[in-house]
Amino acid sequence: MTAPSPLWSTLTDPLVRQNPIMLQILGICSALAVTTSLATALTMAASLTAVLVLSAGIISLIRRHIPDSIRLIVQIVIVASLVIVIDQLLQAYLFEISRKLSVFVSLITTNCLVLGRTESYARLNPPLPSMLDALGNGLGYSLVLAVLGGLRELFGAGKLLGWQVLPLADQGGWFTPLNLMLLAPSAFFLLGGLVWALRTIRPEQAEPAEFTPPALGEGAE
Amino acid sequence: MADLSPIAAWRRLLAMPNESRTKTIVMAFLVSAVCAVLVSAATVILRPIQTANRAAEEQARIEALVAGIPGMSELLNSAGGSLSTVVIDLARGAAAGDVTPDTLGAALADPGNWTALDPAADIAELGQRPDYAQIFLLRDESDRISLVLLPVGGAGFNGRIDAIVALRGDMNTIAGMAVTRQSETPGLGARIEEPAWQAHFAGKQFADESGTVRFAVARGPASSSHEVDGITGATRTGNAITRIMRFWLGPDGYGPLIAAIRRGEF
């Protein structure tokens, strides 16, 4: 058995082992906000992946010539421009979905995942590994969004991608939708559950406790 | 010995240490220039498609607005199932003879067909107002006007707000309202898009007995028949809606048209 090539592990590591949302807890605000249905979650995931890959490629191409003193501004400008272009494309060709995503596409600019990858990886590595790393991280983000969006749409409305999967009780079926699933807190619960499950399967992901609480009984004077 | 050819200058730039001041400024300029071109190109190339999308959506909202007014669908069916579209001359309050819905776009491209507004009267912060507007009318069997749809617009808190106001045949009762464009704060001002809030408009009287426009978005719950409930945390968006409604229903907006319809001259 041969060891996997470094490029392959650059691409696949962020899917589960180093998943940006579940291990690094990056970019969760959008993950919570846009996952009420699978279609918006997938559009958001695709937009973020596109921005991530393109910005990683561009920044990696000019990485030797970015002056250190303005490197964050240069990265943000590139990311923000790509986000605007993607937003305009969505408004032109996916109008309905872009209305549902509203401000969250523009907020990709401030998604810590994007700047995190360009700052920590693309700035220091050649274009091909950078883009693969970005693609892997984008897919890792997409995986979590798709799972959350799928679960929330399935249990919140009994649908998947707009198709009625579970027959609703008020239309003669047996399924009573869980309205909680369509509210923001349910995304927290589901994400927490996912992180818990993943860290149970892979205990090495659990973080060490940051401090040990003092022993009881010696406190108040 | 300076070599002035651009390729050599480019090489010299790339060879400079990253920390040099010249390279920092040149890199900052180049990155912003490339990004500016990218963003402008995307906006300009895609604008026609986006405009078509918005127009289709506005049409859908007009239909939804009419369908949402109680009793309107039956009236529509008895009236032949459709609204008639009329271009009116705002100052005269009468149909504009020479401008039709098809030529309205061309007429409004001519700056001569716009009226600059006096800052004191310009409460919706429009700056200038077109002389012509496209409205939608519905007449009942006896040819009296039973519903008028008036497009309104003006400055909101974050950007322009456009809406359509439906008035009943008495020209004082609001039959409904639909927001067609807004960019207010999501979760606060943007809630003006919610049908539950827009439903408050139905049945309100926008003017008192003397004909003065009294409509307002209240701060908190509405306290009179001229007011609708305010949205918590969206006072400035609510004020913008108040100003837009007062401007367009007042003498500089559709006032002459409303008076003409009340007199039965339309």
Side-chain angles (χ1 to χ4, degrees):
Chain A
M1 188 179 147
T2 56
S5 82
L7 282 183
W8 179 247
S9 57
T10 306
L11 176 67
T12 53
D13 260 5
L15 287 184
V16 177
R17 208 170 70 74
Q18 294 278 350
N19 188 289
I21 296 188
M22 292 202 288
L23 177 64
Q24 306 168 21
I25 317 287
L26 285 179
I28 62 166
C29 16
S30 54
L32 301 182
V34 301
T35 50
T36 46
S37 72
L38 194 51
T40 52
L42 289 179
T43 315
M44 180 71 184
S47 315
L48 185 116
T49 308
V51 170
L52 199 54
V53 171
L54 289 174
S55 60
I58 295 173
I59 287 165
S60 170
L61 269 180
I62 60 168
R63 69 188 184 283
R64 289 187 210 284
H65 300 290
I66 301 178
D68 232 22
S69 50
I70 56 165
R71 66 171 200 281
L72 281 179
I73 303 181
V74 168
Q75 292 174 24
I76 284 277
V77 166
I78 292 172
V79 171
S81 310
L82 290 170
V83 167
I84 296 176
V85 172
I86 297 271
D87 193 21
Q88 297 286 332
L89 281 171
L90 286 182
Q91 283 186 25
Y93 296 107
L94 288 171
F95 189 61
E96 278 303 310
I97 287 182
S98 89
R99 286 194 72 87
K100 282 197 200 124
L101 288 174
S102 69
V103 73
F104 293 103
V105 174
S106 331
L107 284 181
I108 293 178
T109 313
T110 57
N111 196 316
C112 7
L113 183 51
V114 181
L115 199 60
R117 288 332 289 172
T118 58
E119 168 75 10
S120 68
Y121 199 94
R123 203 164 58 83
L124 310 168
N125 290 284
L128 183 64
S130 299
M131 289 173 79
L132 278 178
D133 170 75
L135 182 64
N137 274 284
L139 291 179
Y141 177 89
S142 312
L143 185 69
V144 177
L145 251 70
V147 170
L148 285 182
L151 285 175
R152 289 179 72 182
E153 191 176 353
L154 182 64
F155 292 113
K159 298 177 182 175
L160 272 181
L161 285 173
W163 289 92
Q164 202 72 46
V165 178
L166 305 174
L168 293 186
D170 54 2
Q171 291 163 7
W174 53 270
F175 180 70
T176 310
L178 299 162
N179 284 332
L180 174 68
M181 281 293 167
L182 297 180
L183 302 176
S186 75
F188 260 121
F189 301 150
L190 287 174
L191 186 62
L194 279 180
V195 172
W196 182 20
L198 189 67
R199 289 186 184 186
T200 308
I201 301 170
R202 297 173 167 269
E204 74 274 14
Q205 289 198 355
E207 294 149 17
E210 283 181 6
F211 67 98
T212 38
L216 290 177
E218 56 183 66
E221 45 189 86
Chain B
M1 178 61 216
D3 184 352
L4 291 177
S5 89
I7 297 174
W10 178 247
R11 288 227 176 90
R12 271 207 309 282
L13 174 72
L14 292 190
M16 275 181 171
N18 272 351
E19 302 320 313
S20 85
R21 190 168 297 170
T22 324
K23 185 160 179 182
T24 305
I25 292 175
V26 172
M27 280 304 292
F29 177 78
L30 283 179
V31 169
S32 355
V34 170
C35 288
V37 169
L38 195 68
V39 168
S40 319
T43 317
V44 170
I45 294 171
L46 296 174
R47 186 171 298 150
I49 309 176
Q50 295 172 357
T51 316
N53 283 341
R54 282 207 199 92
E57 202 205 3
E58 184 163 330
Q59 196 56 44
R61 282 189 192 216
I62 291 174
E63 279 159 20
L65 172 67
V66 172
I69 299 172
M72 245 343 111
S73 340
E74 296 85 57
L75 207 59
L76 255 184
N77 288 334
S78 66
S82 69
L83 296 159
S84 53
T85 309
V86 186
V87 174
I88 59 150
D89 183 328
L90 281 171
R92 286 192 296 125
D98 48 343
V99 183
T100 64
D102 293 330
T103 60
L104 179 66
L108 292 187
D110 175 8
N113 285 328
W114 289 71
T115 309
L117 292 167
D118 177 33
D122 184 17
I123 49 178
E125 290 166 37
L126 289 164
Q128 53 178 359
R129 186 210 70 188
D131 292 344
Y132 301 102
Q134 176 174 283
I135 65 164
F136 307 89
L137 291 173
L138 187 66
R139 293 174 193 273
D140 58 15
E141 294 86 355
S142 51
D143 213 31
R144 278 202 315 263
I145 288 176
S146 56
L147 189 76
V148 187
L149 301 189
L150 305 172
V152 301
F157 177 45
N158 290 340
R160 197 180 157 86
I161 299 177
D162 282 328
I164 293 174
V165 180
L167 299 182
R168 291 206 178 273
D170 66 354
M171 285 291 125
N172 192 18
T173 310
I174 298 175
M177 193 277 275
V179 172
T180 49
R181 182 167 89 167
Q182 57 90 12
S183 47
E184 301 303 289
T185 318
L188 297 172
R191 291 181 57 204
I192 58 173
E193 279 212 329
E194 291 179 3
W197 185 71
Q198 294 173 5
H200 292 306
F201 280 70
K204 300 291 176 194
Q205 314 280 319
F206 69 80
D208 60 13
E209 286 77 17
S210 66
T212 317
V213 180
R214 293 264 178 237
F215 176 86
V217 177
R219 291 193 183 174
S223 56
S224 78
S225 67
H226 303 305
E227 291 188 339
V228 295
D229 294 354
I231 296 172
T232 310
T235 312
R236 292 181 61 179
T237 301
N239 290 345
I241 297 277
T242 305
R243 292 197 313 269
I244 290 169
M245 294 284 284
R246 286 194 178 176
F247 174 83
W248 282 103
L249 297 174
D252 290 313
Y254 294 111
L257 171 79
I258 291 169
I261 297 179
R262 277 201 195 123
R263 290 195 302 271
E265 289 174 8
F266 203 83

